[in-house]
Amino acid sequence: MPGGNTRSTVFREPYPVYAARGRGSRIIDADGVERIDFSNNYTALVHGHAHPRIVAAARRAIEGGSCFGAPTESEIRLAEALSERVPSFEQVRFMNSGTEAVMMAVKAARAFTGRRKIAKCEGAYHGGYDFVEVSVAPGEGQRGPAREPAAVPSGPGTWPSVITDTVILPFNDAAAATRILSAHRRDLAAVVIDPLPNRLGLIPASAEFLSAVARFCKANAVLLISDEVISFRLHPAGAQGKFRYAADLTVLGKLIGGGFPVGAVAGREDIMAVFDPRETGPLVAHAGTLNANPVTMAAGLAALELLTPAAIASLDELGGRCREEIRRAIGASGLPWQVSGMGSLFRIHPIPGPLRDYRSARATPDAAGVLTTIMTGLLNFGVFIDTGGFGCTSTVMDEGNATHLGWALAAALSADAS
Ligand SMILES: Cc1ncc(COP(=O)(O)O)c(C=O)c1O
């Protein structure tokens, strides 16, 4: 296996840590070492590992047959549970990953509008679909002017039309974004927005930016696609409930599968009709052998039922405690670092300046290297976390876990300094 595993995100130098088991807030590696898991598989495990209710739901589903060449009631139940939470979710379709969900939402937008371009923000990650793999982490020499960002390919294999058909917006610059969008308005099918984009820096979108984008979309019949693969956990009605906007289509993944492979597109009935085989209008073929797999659907429903408003409130409170603990540890170290985030999500930055967009949040390669070293060092102090400093709380964590994070970070920082 190239790199020794099957997922670039979880590769670590000199080799990845292999997980053997998970239990509640703990991850146990192949050497038997137990640590507090602040990765929670990049937010997919909102209730930690092997939650008894999720395990029971998945086990019941498997015992009844793990997949069929037919739909099951379980997909209707999860679709209904999602629609009850978010007013804009008039209809739902399931797939197996967030990447697939983004791809299907973009295809739906193209079929519905008859236009081909999409817009996304510089530095925002929306999975591995070609048209959103543009300007995800552009280097300094490639980016172009701040108010007119260049579309930078993800690598040498990028097809040229991907670059011309993906329009790049500067995050949180309402005036520049509106100007860029207006220049492409006749060709634009959709704008893809994550209001708390993790890889960009976990910086919240400003109300001004979001309303400028929403206004543009409405005025020009361009679809607003909300990517809530991570940010859905911010509110019972998802990120759009938290940030107060209504998306035409929303992309979901991670937590709604209860720890099993999942993706979903939810949104306006007239747009979702492109997936309806009975329609004679624009049609998007949407097959997938394991779509709406009953094990995923059952586990996802159990996870969603456990994610009550009270559960979200305590997740968020603990997230706030983690950010405080991180701030304290950074303060004691004297390093010009900071932490961003919202609710149950946090991200450590090895830079001092104000965080506004991708460019202001981008650390130098040296600073990013130090952060990776410290996050790797946390392994020695009982904490498992993403090497880029991204973490989250789960509903099975407690204050002691947050305190431990602060202690471990302080210890890793002073071990590195000595
Ligand atoms: C915001 C966002 N969108 C889409 C994706 C892609 O989801 P998946 O990894 O399930 O393909 C991710 C994955 O991390 C994500 O963070």
Side-chain angles (χ1 to χ4, degrees):
M1 294 161 78
N5 76 345
T6 308
R7 185 177 173 196
S8 48
T9 316
V10 300
F11 178 76
R12 286 169 184 252
E13 292 284 5
Y15 44 76
V17 175
Y18 286 74
R21 290 191 316 285
R23 191 173 52 230
S25 61
R26 310 287 163 145
I27 180 170
I28 298 110
D29 74 14
D31 297 321
V33 181
E34 184 171 320
R35 301 182 179 91
I36 304 170
D37 187 358
F38 283 97
S39 162
N40 289 299
N41 196 6
Y42 293 79
T43 74
L45 299 170
V46 70
H47 304 297
H49 296 276
H51 190 286
R53 273 198 43 199
I54 298 175
V55 171
R59 182 178 290 139
R60 263 195 313 277
I62 291 173
E63 284 171 355
S66 60
C67 62
F68 305 95
T72 68
E73 190 183 336
S74 65
E75 65 198 81
I76 297 170
R77 294 185 68 203
L78 183 56
E80 281 177 351
L82 288 166
S83 300
E84 275 163 20
R85 292 168 90 103
V86 187
S88 73
F89 291 5
E90 293 171 1
Q91 294 206 325
V92 183
R93 273 249 167 176
F94 293 105
M95 44 294 290
N96 300 298
S97 69
T99 291
E100 255 186 275
V102 169
M103 177 178 76
M104 294 317 300
V106 168
K107 287 187 179 193
R110 288 187 175 137
F112 184 77
T113 61
R115 305 173 190 156
R116 68 175 199 282
K117 291 189 181 177
I118 61 158
K120 71 172 283 284
C121 291
E122 184 176 48
Y125 176 70
H126 300 289
Y129 177 46
D130 302 35
F131 289 90
V132 289
E133 274 190 318
V134 180
S135 293
V136 173
E140 214 164 328
Q142 314 171 284
R143 294 176 200 156
R147 308 202 75 208
E148 187 105 38
V152 180
S154 63
T158 305
W159 200 245
S161 64
V162 165
I163 298 306
T164 50
D165 286 348
T166 302
V167 174
I168 303 301
L169 307 175
F171 187 67
N172 273 343
D173 186 336
T178 307
R179 188 177 34 74
I180 294 166
L181 289 169
S182 300
H184 295 275
R185 70 179 180 280
R186 280 186 228 295
D187 299 322
L188 269 177
V191 182
V192 184
I193 288 283
D194 176 351
L196 188 67
N198 166 37
R199 290 209 198 170
L200 188 151
L202 210 65
I203 305 161
S206 68
E208 188 199 0
F209 180 70
L210 282 175
S211 65
V213 171
R215 221 176 16 249
F216 167 84
C217 286
K218 194 150 192 215
N220 295 283
V222 172
L223 303 190
L224 181 60
I225 299 177
S226 185
D227 181 347
E228 304 190 16
V229 168
I230 286 181
S231 50
F232 187 68
R233 59 158 57 206
L234 290 172
H235 188 275
Q240 61 201 275
K242 180 84 178 172
F243 286 82
R244 296 176 179 277
Y245 62 93
D248 297 304
L249 293 176
T250 300
V251 173
L252 303 169
K254 299 201 196 281
L255 86 84
I256 67 150
F260 289 84
V262 80
V265 176
R268 271 169 45 192
E269 192 172 351
D270 58 336
I271 304 168
M272 296 294 286
V274 301
F275 295 118
D276 188 339
R278 297 170 303 183
E279 293 291 324
T280 50
L283 188 73
V284 178
H286 177 222
T289 305
L290 292 168
N291 287 357
N293 177 271
V295 184
T296 299
M297 298 292 104
L301 182 62
L304 213 56
E305 285 171 352
L306 288 164
L307 197 63
T308 59
I312 293 176
S314 65
L315 263 183
D316 291 359
E317 199 183 318
L318 204 55
R321 277 297 310 275
C322 288
R323 287 188 291 275
E324 256 172 53
E325 291 287 345
I326 292 166
R327 261 181 223 114
R328 193 170 311 143
I330 289 172
S333 75
L335 282 170
W337 287 19
Q338 59 184 313
V339 60
S340 67
M342 179 186 255
S344 55
L345 304 166
F346 59 85
R347 188 169 189 101
I348 302 169
H349 297 264
I351 50 167
L355 304 173
R356 174 187 152 82
D357 53 15
Y358 168 72
R359 297 184 191 207
S360 59
R362 177 98 169 158
T364 62
D366 281 354
V370 176
L371 178 66
T372 300
T373 304
I374 298 299
M375 295 300 103
T376 307
L378 282 174
L379 293 173
N380 295 327
F381 300 99
V383 166
F384 183 81
I385 192 167
D386 162 59
T387 50
F390 172 54
C392 65
T393 55
S394 77
T395 58
V396 294
M397 285 180 164
D398 58 23
E399 280 207 22
N401 296 138
T403 313
H404 184 97
L405 176 63
W407 168 83
L409 182 57
L413 286 166
S414 61
D416 188 62
S418 62

